Amino acid sequence: MAIFKLFAPAMNKTKLLSCEELLDIFSTSHIATAIYTTDDLVIEAATQAMLSFWGRSRDIVGLPLEVAVPELKGQPFAQQMKSALATGITFSAKGVAAQLMHNGKLNTFYYDYEYRPVKNADGDIICLLHHATDVTERVLGEMALANEEQQRQILERELALNEELSAANEELAAINEELHQTQTELNTLNDELEERIQVVP
């Protein structure tokens, strides 16, 4: 009880943070997160981690997403976000490919992500909260393993086919040997018949 009394006065000195201070704190998060408003998906805030995913600087805050990151046009993300905003239903996906510009080159990355509509006390949707995790290494690793497994199965099929062909070749060789012996026997019989025909007056 004495410990609580000791720290209680310090807790009372906590001040409420301003909206700007909260956004500044939010932007330092190591988790890739962005906040959007309106049907145009205006970027209200983005953490440095999210900006790094996009390969953009903080000056895109305040712009619609597809203006700030134009390579996203034609990809499914904006439509998924708009759907989440319209329905109020959280949308999430795992291991989805995204084409993003990095160092002047369009590259494919893979993400787990969630679009969560945020409601006010009246139940109205006020913004969309977007979390993302870069899972490119995981997905490429899974693809490599799947490819390796596929190659293993192909190799096993080829080995099985080679064994079947080898067995078939052995059978053909045996049949050829039998045919050769039969041909030799027929030639011998033919020669004997010709000799008998010549002996007969």
Side-chain angles (χ1 to χ4, degrees):
M1 197 68 169
I3 293 173
F4 175 78
K5 287 180 181 176
L6 179 66
F7 288 103
M11 288 192 294
N12 290 336
K13 291 182 182 177
T14 304
K15 68 168 191 147
L16 291 176
L17 299 172
S18 70
C19 191
E20 189 174 320
E21 288 171 325
L22 285 171
L23 287 175
D24 284 344
I25 293 166
F26 166 83
S27 70
T28 64
S29 172
H30 295 294
I31 299 168
T33 309
I35 298 171
Y36 311 92
T37 56
T38 78
D39 289 338
D40 292 329
L41 302 173
V42 172
I43 303 166
E44 295 293 339
T47 62
Q48 188 55 51
M50 185 65 81
L51 293 171
S52 295
F53 283 179
W54 293 332
R56 301 300 195 278
S57 62
R58 191 156 299 286
D59 59 2
I60 66 167
V61 173
L63 296 175
L65 178 62
E66 289 188 340
V67 172
V69 191
E71 62 266 30
L72 290 177
K73 285 181 184 174
Q75 297 187 59
F77 312 110
Q79 191 53 50
Q80 292 167 354
M81 290 179 184
K82 289 176 182 178
S83 176
L85 273 172
T87 63
I89 298 170
T90 297
F91 180 91
S92 60
K94 292 189 178 297
V96 178
Q99 301 288 318
L100 290 168
M101 195 71 70
H102 274 262
N103 300 321
K105 185 180 175 187
L106 201 61
N107 293 299
T108 301
F109 300 91
Y110 295 86
Y111 296 95
D112 291 350
Y113 59 91
E114 179 182 271
Y115 304 135
R116 180 178 295 279
V118 178
K119 298 178 181 180
N120 63 16
D122 296 327
D124 299 321
I125 296 169
I126 56 171
C127 68
L128 187 70
L129 187 62
H130 170 198
H131 298 289
T133 305
D134 185 341
V135 293
T136 303
E137 285 187 18
R138 182 193 80 200
V139 171
L140 292 179
E142 288 170 354
M143 290 170 116
L145 286 173
N147 186 50
E148 189 178 312
E149 176 62 18
Q150 185 180 22
Q151 293 303 317
R152 186 188 64 75
Q153 289 176 2
I154 289 169
L155 183 61
E156 283 181 0
R157 281 197 298 270
E158 285 178 354
L159 287 171
L161 282 171
N162 283 340
E163 285 177 12
E164 287 177 19
L165 284 171
S166 180
N169 282 337
E170 286 177 13
E171 285 180 24
L172 283 172
I175 290 169
N176 280 337
E177 181 62 28
E178 287 177 18
L179 286 172
H180 179 69
Q181 287 177 357
T182 303
Q183 184 67 39
T184 302
E185 289 172 7
L186 284 172
N187 285 340
T188 303
L189 283 171
N190 201 22
D191 289 344
E192 289 176 6
L193 282 172
E194 282 183 5
E195 285 176 10
R196 285 181 186 174
I197 289 171
Q198 287 175 0
V199 170
V200 175

